[in-house]
Amino acid sequence: MHNTEHKRYFSQELLDWYEINKRDLPWRRHRDPYYIWVSEIMLQQTRVDTVIPYFHRFIERFPTIQSLADAPEDDVLKCWEGLGYYSRARNLQAAARQVTEQYDGVMPSGKDEVSGLKGIGPYTSGAIRSIAFNIPAAAVDGNVMRVLSRYFLIEEDIMKVKTRTKMEELVLTLVPDGRASDFTQALMELGALICTPKSPKCLVCPVMEHCSARLEGKEESLPIKTKAKPPRPEYRLTAIVEGTGVHEGKILIRKRPAAGLLAGMWELPHVIVPADGGSVPAAMPEETAMVGLRDALLEEGIPVQPIGHVMDAEHTFSHIQWNMGVYRCKWQDVPPAALQAAESAAAYETGEENFRWIHVQDMERYAFPNVFIRILKVYFSS
DNA sequence: CAATCGTGGTT
DNA sequence: TAACCAAGATT
């Protein structure tokens, strides 16, 4: 159905188009595998315009693989703050340490070596090897699957691994000799600029003439993709704990666990409210919320007295929607008897474990998820 | 395979 | 405005 003639046409026209239309992007100004690597990790599920300022800051702060490997993890997370999917940052640094230890600090180019690095999957492996080393490897991302599913009329669910591996094989038959780097980027560039998800610009597409989807009027209905499940709602009560005594003028923050959602990031103390009977914090009487918050935090060894409602906040992750009621609280100095129940309260006072008392200006030293930055901004500006 | 893991822009 | 989307990896 698709002869080598149409394939050759596709590859050649695509390369010619790319040469003229490629964007001037920061990571395209070098062939340094480290730059390509960092950009590819940042670009996962993230728009180019969002990545650009992060890329500049990251390369300035961590100019080499060695400097990244040597840095404290908190510094790396701070540099990633606001970009999302924070495991990318943690894995990137872990991989930098792998390269330092296993490959003398030099980025490898072999398939098994690259794929063996943390955070580098099939796509990123192909992207680094083709773009940085000009090796004929397939880098099949969302853009590429969209372009290929349309040009070759592949009516299979692109969410399935099998579809991606099939397209990887297809790509390998398309890469012109010695042009792997440009071809990979051209394929993605076409998906980003011309063969867009909605309203593809077929009239200015360099390969429109032999695009099967276009010829059959199916360009708008491809690729086929299963719908994502809507995020499940969660209800959380959040505390802005104001310090007393030596901690006067400060608030309490804590560091999240090393795994899971927002791993390793800092946050305001908060508790989940069991969602029975639709008890949305916004709808919950403030008195009820404050009593619940006080009791729940004391269970976790954080003795506070809620004072009043600050704001409601909503934050949507890929799979969870947080509905938050935020309350100003006063740290409660607990009498010795009660201290036993709140066993770890003393730990916060000494600043041990994963808790800190901070001033507003200390925020720049800790990496916070976006939702807490928004809340703290409102709090500190009022 | 399907769920987990952020955020902001576009339609 | 709600839904969809953006250069995916890990478990």
Side-chain angles (χ1 to χ4, degrees):
Chain A
M1 75 183 208
H2 279 97
N3 51 42
T4 51
E5 195 55 40
H6 284 181
K7 286 185 177 179
R8 191 162 30 241
Y9 161 85
F10 176 85
S11 300
Q12 190 55 54
E13 294 298 322
L14 187 56
L15 281 176
D16 292 346
W17 170 85
Y18 178 69
E19 196 54 44
I20 297 170
N21 295 282
K22 65 180 175 186
R23 289 169 292 178
D24 177 20
L25 301 174
W27 43 90
R28 284 185 178 158
R29 294 191 163 202
H30 314 80
R31 188 54 87 75
D32 187 335
Y34 175 60
Y35 290 9
I36 306 298
W37 180 18
V38 171
S39 73
E40 288 302 335
I41 299 297
M42 286 187 170
L43 285 163
Q44 289 170 7
Q45 304 292 288
T46 311
R47 304 182 116 76
V48 167
D49 290 344
T50 302
V51 165
I52 289 175
Y54 280 92
F55 178 80
H56 285 306
R57 281 196 296 271
F58 196 92
I59 292 299
E60 184 177 9
R61 173 66 183 80
F62 310 109
T64 62
I65 295 177
Q66 186 69 52
S67 67
L68 178 58
D70 290 342
E73 183 183 283
D74 281 350
D75 288 13
V76 180
L77 283 175
K78 185 63 186 178
C79 213
W80 211 270
E81 182 185 78
L83 197 54
Y85 286 143
Y86 299 100
S87 287
R88 292 183 297 175
R90 294 150 43 81
N91 288 336
L92 179 59
Q93 185 185 34
R97 289 173 174 167
Q98 278 182 273
V99 173
T100 299
E101 291 163 13
Q102 299 173 28
Y103 307 110
D104 200 25
V106 179
M107 187 67 173
S109 62
K111 183 169 188 175
D112 292 341
E113 286 78 5
V114 174
S115 298
L117 298 173
K118 270 205 160 185
I120 297 186
Y123 162 74
T124 306
S125 171
I128 292 172
R129 299 200 323 122
S130 61
I131 296 174
F133 297 104
N134 202 29
I135 294 168
V140 176
D141 70 338
N143 282 316
V144 174
M145 288 195 283
R146 186 168 59 252
V147 170
L148 296 182
S149 68
R150 285 172 176 167
Y151 186 84
F152 294 103
L153 200 67
I154 300 170
E155 299 179 285
E156 296 170 37
D157 190 343
I158 62 169
M159 297 301 281
K160 296 190 181 300
V161 174
K162 190 176 178 184
T163 306
R164 195 205 69 226
T165 56
K166 174 183 173 178
M167 292 193 181
E168 285 171 351
E169 293 177 15
L170 174 56
V171 166
L172 290 180
T173 70
L174 297 170
V175 186
D177 286 345
R179 303 298 305 276
S181 181
D182 284 339
F183 184 73
T184 289
Q185 298 180 78
L187 211 40
M188 290 191 287
E189 196 78 339
L190 187 76
L193 300 181
I194 304 293
C195 198
T196 48
K198 292 172 183 174
S199 308
K201 302 168 179 62
C202 299
L203 294 183
V204 293
C205 177
V207 296
M208 175 253 268
E209 191 177 334
H210 295 301
C211 175
S212 298
R214 170 69 178 175
L215 291 171
E216 299 204 12
K218 292 183 175 178
E219 70 274 13
E220 294 273 10
S221 57
L222 286 175
I224 291 169
K225 186 179 182 181
T226 54
K227 285 181 192 141
K229 269 180 26 179
R232 65 175 182 275
E234 281 186 2
Y235 309 106
R236 288 173 180 269
L237 295 171
T238 305
I240 299 178
V241 182
E242 300 174 340
T244 60
V246 294
H247 301 309
E248 188 73 39
K250 300 182 182 179
I251 64 160
L252 185 66
I253 62 171
R254 70 179 178 192
K255 191 178 173 71
R256 294 180 60 84
L261 184 68
L262 304 170
M265 304 289 282
W266 290 83
E267 66 177 6
L268 292 170
H270 57 99
V271 298
I272 187 166
V273 178
D276 48 10
S279 54
V280 185
M284 185 188 300
E286 292 185 1
E287 275 306 322
T288 308
M290 290 198 284
V291 170
L293 179 58
R294 185 199 62 192
D295 292 350
L297 284 182
L298 188 57
E299 286 284 322
E300 299 184 26
I302 307 175
V304 304
Q305 181 56 55
I307 296 168
H309 181 259
V310 175
M311 63 184 288
D312 288 322
E314 187 180 300
H315 187 76
T316 305
F317 301 94
S318 301
H319 56 306
I320 311 173
Q321 179 181 22
W322 278 3
N323 296 284
M324 314 173 80
V326 183
Y327 290 85
R328 198 159 64 89
C329 302
K330 210 72 184 171
W331 175 265
Q332 281 283 296
D333 290 312
V334 283
L339 197 59
Q340 206 166 5
E343 189 176 307
S344 52
Y348 315 140
E349 291 291 36
T350 58
E352 289 175 28
E353 299 187 357
N354 295 320
F355 287 84
R356 297 283 190 283
W357 289 102
I358 67 163
H359 283 119
V360 58
Q361 64 268 29
D362 296 329
M363 279 183 65
E364 67 189 40
R365 301 199 291 122
Y366 298 90
F368 293 95
N370 181 275
V371 58
F372 295 107
I373 292 178
R374 285 207 319 266
I375 292 171
L376 287 167
K377 237 174 223 170
V378 171
Y379 171 76
F380 281 124
S381 65
S382 64

